[in-house]
Amino acid sequence: MKDVKSQASKVAAPGKPGRLNTEIQSRIGHQLRAMYDDVVRQGVPDRFAELIKKLDAPGPTGDPAKKNDGRD
């Protein structure tokens, strides 16, 4: 990642400060994918899946969009 930072400062497009060329953008994209692929492969923890099921369950009126949130 240090390599990308050092190159990014050197390879800005002429006349457009702060812009990264397509090669640098591509390298950053590949590195981000490599970092986050592991996170994606882990899946959703069971406790989160259970919470999502509860949120998707119909409320007392049978309409999932009108759940009782306890503020009535």
Side-chain angles (χ1 to χ4, degrees):
M1 190 82 155
K2 293 176 192 173
D3 186 36
V4 172
K5 285 182 183 177
S6 63
Q7 285 185 6
S9 62
K10 295 178 192 173
V11 194
K16 297 185 179 184
R19 297 271 174 133
L20 301 177
N21 69 19
T22 54
E23 180 186 352
I24 299 297
Q25 290 178 8
S26 177
R27 284 186 179 187
I28 291 171
H30 287 293
Q31 289 181 345
L32 286 171
R33 273 187 225 94
M35 287 173 44
Y36 287 104
D37 275 348
D38 186 45
V39 174
V40 170
R41 277 188 245 117
Q42 290 177 10
V44 178
D46 292 338
R47 65 184 187 160
F48 289 162
E50 290 172 19
L51 287 171
I52 292 169
K53 284 180 190 175
K54 287 180 183 178
L55 289 171
D56 286 340
T61 62
D63 184 0
K66 297 183 179 182
K67 297 181 188 98
N68 182 2
D69 62 2
R71 290 188 261 177
D72 295 73

